[in-house]
Amino acid sequence: MLRSSGRINALILQLLDTLVQTADRRETDYATVKHELQGHMHVEEATLYRRMERSMHKRIAASIEEHNSFRKNFGRLDRTHPERRRGSPV
């Protein structure tokens, strides 16, 4: 069963908060998580989803909606000043 986009986004944000013990590494860890997740989404969409769309249309549509939500939230985070992403006051 697919989880809701909001729940998954919250889990990813929680992961970003707990990946590192110090704020100095958070920016690097954010970039790594973003890069890896974007690659994963691209591979799914470019290969797997195209082959399975007819047989699993509803699940594929839900997954693409979820991916779009991730992209939207990464965009929001990218527009945030790096100091705020680190949890430090600007």
Side-chain angles (χ1 to χ4, degrees):
M1 180 176 187
L2 296 175
R3 295 181 184 178
S4 71
S5 295
R7 179 177 163 93
I8 292 175
N9 284 334
L11 289 171
I12 287 175
L13 292 175
Q14 181 181 1
L15 172 65
L16 289 172
D17 283 341
T18 58
L19 277 174
V20 296
Q21 298 298 319
T22 64
D24 295 336
R25 294 260 341 248
R26 187 160 298 162
E27 191 68 17
T28 301
D29 289 339
Y30 166 75
T32 301
V33 168
K34 178 183 172 189
H35 174 76
E36 294 297 326
L37 188 55
Q38 286 177 324
H40 171 85
M41 292 186 302
H42 174 75
V43 168
E44 280 186 345
E45 291 170 8
T47 59
L48 184 64
Y49 291 177
R50 288 181 188 210
R51 293 180 184 191
M52 298 175 62
E53 187 167 14
R54 285 188 179 162
S55 63
M56 300 182 73
H57 178 71
K58 288 182 182 180
R59 290 189 122 196
I60 300 299
S63 292
I64 289 173
E65 182 179 322
E66 187 175 86
H67 288 185
N68 290 336
S69 179
F70 287 135
R71 288 180 181 101
K72 181 179 174 181
N73 285 321
F74 279 131
R76 287 179 183 161
L77 285 169
D78 289 344
R79 289 187 300 274
T80 302
H81 191 280
E83 291 300 317
R84 290 207 188 260
R85 284 199 298 264
R86 288 187 189 123
S88 304
V90 176

